[in-house]
Amino acid sequence: MASSDDAPLQTLFLPFSSGALRWPEGPVAFLRARDGWPLREQAGGREVDCEQSFAPFAQPLQQAAGWTVSGQLDDVAGRGRYPLVLVLPPRQREEARALFARALALVAEGGRIVACQHNNEGARSGEGDLKQLAGLGGSLTKNHCRVFWTAPLQGQHDVDVAKRWGSLDAVRPIVGGRFLSRPGVFAWDRIDPASALLAEHLPADLAGRAADLGAGYGYLSRELLERCPKITALDLYEAEKRALDLAELNLAPPPRPVPLRFLWRDVTAGIEP
Ligand SMILES: C[S@@+](CC[C@H](N)C(=O)[O-])C[C@H]1O[C@@H](n2cnc3c(N)ncnc32)[C@H](O)[C@@H]1O
C-alpha cells in the first residue's frame, strides 16, 4: 500500500468525504492511481479502472481486490465511459497537460474530472491548466495540496486546447534522431551527463549476460552493446512503463543481434533468475 502520508491521495478524496462532491454510480477511472486508505475507504467494492505506469505504485493496486489495474487504459474502449475521472497529475507540465486531455476524452457526458497536486509539485499550474481546458467547478486546499475539479462536463471544454495538449507528450526523436523519447521520462530530451560519463568508463571486456537496472529510454543499454562486444544477452529492467516502451523502440534493432528482455519491474523486489 502507498504510504499513509500520501498527502495528494488523501486530499484528492476530500471533496467526497466532506460531501462537496458525490461519488457517482458507474465506473470510475483513476489516472496515475496510487493505493492507500483514502482510495480503499472511498472506493472499496466499487468499480475503479486504475492506470499506473510506475511498477512500485501499480503492484499494491494489483494486490488489492476489486479494481482493474493497467499501465495504460484503453483510450478507445474508455472514451466517454466514466462519470468520474480522478487524476494525480505528474510534475512534468507537458505530460500533465496531455493527461488532462486524455481525462477529458474518457469522461462521460455530464461527468467530472477531479485532480489533486501537492503545492510543491505544480498545484497552481495544474489548477490553471484544468481551468483553461474545461473550466473549474470548485477547489479546496489542505495538506499543502490543492484538489480542483470541473463542473459537470457537457461539451463546454476548449476543443482546440484539448487537441493540442493531447499530443504534448507524444513520442519524438531526440539527440539528432539517435533516440526516441517523450516528456516525463528521466532526462527525456537529452543524454544525462552522468549516464554519458558512466558509458565512457564501461570496461570494454565486460562479458556474458548483462542487466541494465533502471534502463530509462535505453541510452546505457545501447552504449553497453556498442562498447562491450563480449556481452551476449541483456535484460532491461525499468519501473516506468512509458520509459521501458521507449527502450524497446530504441533497441529495435539492437546494435548487435543479442537476446534482449524488456522487464517492467520494481528491481527492489528482486530480479529474474
Ligand atoms: C537515473 S535514471 C537512469 C536511466 C538510464 N539508465 C540512463 O542512463 O539514461 C534511473 C531510472 O530508474 C528507474 N527506476 C526508478 N526506480 C526503479 C525501481 N525501483 N525499479 C526499476 N527501475 C527504477 C527510473 O524510472 C529511471 O528511468
Short mmCIF file of all heavy atoms in Angstrom, two decimals, residues 5 33-34 124 126 132 140 156-157 165 177 194 215 232 239-240:
data_model
loop_
_atom_site.label_atom_id
_atom_site.label_comp_id
_atom_site.label_asym_id
_atom_site.label_seq_id
_atom_site.Cartn_x
_atom_site.Cartn_y
_atom_site.Cartn_z
N ASP A 5 1.11 8.69 4.56
CA ASP A 5 1.19 10.15 4.49
C ASP A 5 1.21 10.63 3.04
O ASP A 5 1.87 11.60 2.70
CB ASP A 5 2.41 10.65 5.26
CG ASP A 5 3.70 10.04 4.74
OD1 ASP A 5 3.62 9.21 3.82
OD2 ASP A 5 4.77 10.39 5.26
N ALA A 33 -3.02 6.34 -10.63
CA ALA A 33 -3.62 5.87 -9.38
C ALA A 33 -2.55 5.41 -8.40
O ALA A 33 -1.52 4.85 -8.80
CB ALA A 33 -4.57 4.72 -9.68
N ARG A 34 -2.82 5.67 -7.12
CA ARG A 34 -1.97 5.10 -6.06
C ARG A 34 -2.88 4.48 -5.01
O ARG A 34 -3.95 5.01 -4.73
CB ARG A 34 -1.10 6.19 -5.42
CG ARG A 34 -0.09 6.78 -6.37
CD ARG A 34 1.05 7.48 -5.62
NE ARG A 34 0.67 8.72 -4.98
CZ ARG A 34 0.82 9.93 -5.52
NH1 ARG A 34 1.32 10.06 -6.73
NH2 ARG A 34 0.46 11.01 -4.85
N ARG A 124 -0.58 24.90 -8.50
CA ARG A 124 -1.16 26.14 -9.05
C ARG A 124 -1.28 26.06 -10.58
O ARG A 124 -2.31 26.39 -11.16
CB ARG A 124 -0.30 27.33 -8.64
CG ARG A 124 -0.95 28.66 -8.88
CD ARG A 124 -0.11 29.77 -8.29
NE ARG A 124 -0.20 29.84 -6.83
CZ ARG A 124 -1.17 30.46 -6.17
NH1 ARG A 124 -2.13 31.05 -6.84
NH2 ARG A 124 -1.18 30.49 -4.86
N GLY A 126 -1.31 23.32 -12.36
CA GLY A 126 -2.27 22.25 -12.70
C GLY A 126 -3.70 22.76 -12.67
O GLY A 126 -4.48 22.50 -13.58
N GLN A 132 -8.23 26.17 -17.87
CA GLN A 132 -8.12 26.57 -19.29
C GLN A 132 -8.76 25.53 -20.22
O GLN A 132 -9.41 25.86 -21.21
CB GLN A 132 -6.64 26.75 -19.64
CG GLN A 132 -6.42 27.33 -21.03
CD GLN A 132 -4.94 27.39 -21.39
OE1 GLN A 132 -4.07 27.24 -20.55
NE2 GLN A 132 -4.66 27.62 -22.67
N LEU A 140 -10.33 22.99 -3.33
CA LEU A 140 -10.08 23.03 -1.89
C LEU A 140 -8.57 22.92 -1.68
O LEU A 140 -7.88 22.29 -2.49
CB LEU A 140 -10.70 21.81 -1.21
CG LEU A 140 -12.22 21.70 -1.05
CD1 LEU A 140 -12.57 20.29 -0.56
CD2 LEU A 140 -12.71 22.73 -0.05
N GLN A 156 -18.51 21.69 -22.85
CA GLN A 156 -18.13 23.11 -22.79
C GLN A 156 -16.62 23.33 -22.77
O GLN A 156 -16.17 24.44 -22.55
CB GLN A 156 -18.78 23.79 -21.56
CG GLN A 156 -18.18 23.43 -20.21
CD GLN A 156 -18.84 22.21 -19.58
OE1 GLN A 156 -19.17 21.26 -20.28
NE2 GLN A 156 -19.02 22.21 -18.28
N HIS A 157 -15.84 22.25 -22.99
CA HIS A 157 -14.38 22.40 -22.95
C HIS A 157 -13.85 23.09 -24.21
O HIS A 157 -14.57 23.23 -25.20
CB HIS A 157 -13.74 21.01 -22.81
CG HIS A 157 -14.03 20.11 -23.96
ND1 HIS A 157 -15.15 19.32 -24.02
CD2 HIS A 157 -13.35 19.88 -25.11
CE1 HIS A 157 -15.15 18.64 -25.15
NE2 HIS A 157 -14.07 18.97 -25.83
N TRP A 165 -3.09 19.78 -26.57
CA TRP A 165 -2.48 19.15 -25.39
C TRP A 165 -2.42 17.62 -25.53
O TRP A 165 -1.54 16.99 -24.96
CB TRP A 165 -3.27 19.52 -24.13
CG TRP A 165 -3.07 20.95 -23.72
CD1 TRP A 165 -2.40 21.93 -24.42
CD2 TRP A 165 -3.54 21.58 -22.53
NE1 TRP A 165 -2.44 23.10 -23.73
CE2 TRP A 165 -3.14 22.92 -22.57
CE3 TRP A 165 -4.28 21.14 -21.44
CZ2 TRP A 165 -3.44 23.82 -21.55
CZ3 TRP A 165 -4.59 22.02 -20.42
CH2 TRP A 165 -4.17 23.36 -20.48
N GLY A 177 18.06 12.59 -33.54
CA GLY A 177 17.43 11.39 -34.11
C GLY A 177 18.03 10.09 -33.60
O GLY A 177 17.62 9.01 -34.02
N ALA A 194 25.65 12.28 -16.36
CA ALA A 194 26.21 11.21 -15.50
C ALA A 194 26.15 9.87 -16.24
O ALA A 194 27.09 9.06 -16.15
CB ALA A 194 25.44 11.14 -14.19
N ALA A 215 16.61 1.16 -16.80
CA ALA A 215 17.15 1.36 -18.16
C ALA A 215 16.68 2.66 -18.81
O ALA A 215 17.24 3.06 -19.83
CB ALA A 215 16.76 0.18 -19.04
N THR A 232 26.64 -11.03 -24.22
CA THR A 232 25.92 -11.99 -25.07
C THR A 232 24.40 -11.90 -24.95
O THR A 232 23.67 -12.47 -25.77
CB THR A 232 26.35 -13.43 -24.73
OG1 THR A 232 26.17 -13.61 -23.32
CG2 THR A 232 27.80 -13.68 -25.11
N ALA A 239 11.12 0.46 -14.03
CA ALA A 239 9.87 0.56 -13.28
C ALA A 239 8.81 1.36 -14.04
O ALA A 239 7.62 1.12 -13.87
CB ALA A 239 10.13 1.23 -11.93
N GLU A 240 9.26 2.32 -14.85
CA GLU A 240 8.31 3.20 -15.54
C GLU A 240 8.02 2.64 -16.93
O GLU A 240 8.89 2.61 -17.80
CB GLU A 240 8.92 4.62 -15.62
CG GLU A 240 8.08 5.63 -16.37
CD GLU A 240 6.63 5.69 -15.91
OE1 GLU A 240 6.37 6.01 -14.75
OE2 GLU A 240 5.74 5.40 -16.74
#
